[in-house]
Amino acid sequence: MKQSQKPKQRKETIKSWLFFAASLAFTIVLLVIFPNRQTAVIKSSWQIFMEMFWILPAVMLLIGFFAVWVPKEMIVRLMGKTSGIRGIGLSLLLGSLPTGPLYVAFPMAAALIKKGARVSNMIIFLSAWACIKIPQEMVELQFLGARFMALRLGLTIIFVIIMGVFIERAVESKATEKGKK
Amino acid sequence: MNLAPVFINIFAIGCLFLSFVKDRRKTKQAVKIAVKSFIKIIPTILLIVVLVGLLLGFVPHVVISKFMGNQSGIDGIFLSALLGAILYIPSIVAFPLAASFLKAGASITAVAIFITTLTMIGFVTLPLEVKELGKKIALLRNGISLLLAILIGVIIGTIL
């Protein structure tokens, strides 16, 4: 198993670097054609780079601790197949903690799935992370009003749970088909 | 400044300390996993950095406001869904921006869709999502979220 994974992983890494190189080359060409955009592009890139630079190493470290210290049975029990409504609630709650941008949540969700959390709960977790942030809702309340906020939030939660179940079905039916082959 | 990175770094260092006190070997293993997974996502991160620079550098907020300000109707719905999906704006900035769209004449439906796709769908962060969760989950999540956003927007528009 490990032997077949290694070259595949290396290929993936090379592909990622090629993607990056291509996009960088494309950007450089664009900036040569439109030199007046240079400062804006470089400034935006630098901002997002610094943002990620300050967050991601800490996130990776936390994922490392998670992998080593948190027992698998606990995640299976709390967020796995049989976790039911409590699993959904916990996923919503975990997602809504004020903990940074969505890209932080992708590796976390991946780690949780590896430890036995259900896919539907992770979709709910990701969506909650994306749009149910407590400080974010304060700003929405202030700028768009209570009715707008409450309605949007309520609808989002309902639809996200449905989406989670649907995606889980779609992913897992394919997986079992593959298993049969 | 955003407090999230400060909080998360303090938390990570706290965990490092605790873990080290409890079990040095396990800590070493955890750090090894962290370094490995970090190295793995470096090219994806750099790709996102370039994409965000391109997007914000060539499509500044003023242009978006002018573009979306007085959109309503069916084309407004699709335009706001698309804009929200492609753009990368921190949500704290997004709400004032959305409020300014409302003032400029955009419909409530369009604004609700814009906010929902903006937060739930990440076009520029899609490479990272695919890398971590696989193509299938990432594409399904983003695609369905787009439809849901439109549905949510239309419902809000009819009620309010």
Side-chain angles (χ1 to χ4, degrees):
Chain A
M1 179 92 185
K2 245 196 172 160
Q3 271 173 334
S4 66
Q5 258 175 353
K6 273 252 161 108
K8 202 186 158 202
Q9 262 181 19
R10 188 160 300 159
K11 217 171 143 193
E12 284 288 308
T13 313
I14 292 171
K15 221 166 90 187
S16 310
W17 278 106
L18 281 180
F19 262 125
F20 164 63
S23 66
L24 189 65
F26 178 71
T27 308
I28 291 171
V29 171
L30 266 184
L31 288 184
V32 169
I33 302 172
F34 303 99
N36 60 329
R37 292 286 181 195
Q38 274 171 16
T39 42
V41 170
I42 291 169
K43 207 182 125 207
S44 313
S45 280
W46 180 247
Q47 265 173 3
I48 181 82
F49 177 75
M50 285 316 278
E51 187 191 301
M52 291 176 129
F53 179 80
W54 281 111
I55 292 182
L56 283 173
V59 171
M60 291 303 153
L61 205 54
L62 288 176
I63 286 172
F65 292 132
F66 176 79
V68 174
W69 284 109
V70 179
K72 195 172 172 178
E73 305 85 64
M74 192 175 113
I75 298 301
V76 172
R77 184 161 50 85
L78 291 175
M79 300 174 109
K81 282 280 178 220
T82 52
S83 59
I85 289 183
R86 277 176 57 197
I88 294 177
L90 187 66
S91 308
L92 280 173
L93 189 75
L94 273 182
S96 60
L97 295 174
T99 31
L102 187 58
Y103 57 77
V104 173
F106 297 141
M108 287 189 176
L112 277 163
I113 288 178
K114 249 186 230 157
K115 283 254 174 184
R118 338 169 39 147
V119 174
S120 65
N121 281 343
M122 286 308 96
I123 299 291
I124 294 167
F125 165 74
L126 284 176
S127 309
W129 187 298
C131 58
I132 319 177
K133 285 269 166 287
I134 292 148
Q136 177 185 312
E137 288 319 309
M138 292 301 166
V139 184
E140 180 167 6
L141 181 71
Q142 184 190 342
F143 279 94
L144 296 164
R147 282 185 69 191
F148 183 93
M149 185 201 92
L151 203 57
R152 204 181 66 82
L153 212 58
L155 287 171
T156 308
I157 291 176
I158 295 169
F159 283 140
V160 152
I161 293 173
I162 298 172
M163 171 166 77
V165 174
F166 178 80
I167 291 183
E168 181 177 277
R169 287 234 173 116
V171 173
E172 283 177 359
S173 67
K174 262 279 157 65
T176 48
E177 262 170 46
K178 259 185 202 163
K180 274 175 197 165
K181 276 175 197 170
Chain B
M1 243 275 298
N2 202 337
L3 272 177
V6 179
F7 171 78
I8 209 166
N9 275 290
I10 290 174
F11 187 61
I13 290 168
C15 286
L16 180 66
F17 183 73
L18 258 177
S19 174
F20 192 78
V21 170
K22 258 190 139 177
D23 188 335
R24 283 175 74 166
R25 248 194 50 225
K26 271 193 168 179
T27 308
K28 219 173 145 189
Q29 206 185 335
V31 172
K32 220 169 145 189
I33 293 174
V35 171
K36 257 193 193 157
S37 37
F38 187 63
I39 289 173
K40 228 171 73 187
I41 60 166
I42 285 178
T44 316
I45 293 171
L46 291 175
L47 175 66
I48 293 174
V49 166
V50 171
L51 289 181
V52 169
L54 262 185
L55 199 66
L56 297 187
F58 279 88
V59 195
H61 294 177
V62 192
V63 176
I64 302 163
S65 294
K66 261 191 205 152
F67 202 54
M68 225 199 89
N70 39 26
Q71 294 291 328
S72 46
I74 297 285
D75 47 338
I77 285 177
F78 287 113
L79 184 69
S80 40
L82 211 65
L83 267 179
I86 294 173
L87 290 177
Y88 181 88
I89 304 173
S91 52
I92 303 292
V93 185
F95 290 115
L97 191 69
S100 75
F101 292 166
L102 267 185
K103 262 194 212 124
S107 66
I108 282 195
T109 307
V111 170
I113 292 174
F114 176 74
I115 293 174
T116 311
T117 53
L118 191 63
T119 47
M120 300 228 306
I121 302 174
F123 183 73
V124 285
T125 52
L126 196 60
L128 188 66
E129 191 173 352
V130 169
K131 186 149 207 164
E132 293 288 349
L133 296 168
K135 222 177 253 168
K136 187 142 194 203
I137 292 183
L139 291 181
L140 272 176
R141 195 191 70 80
N142 282 282
I144 298 175
S145 295
L146 186 67
L147 296 179
L148 288 187
I150 293 176
L151 201 60
I152 289 170
V154 171
I155 296 176
I156 289 181
T158 0
I159 294 180
L160 290 186

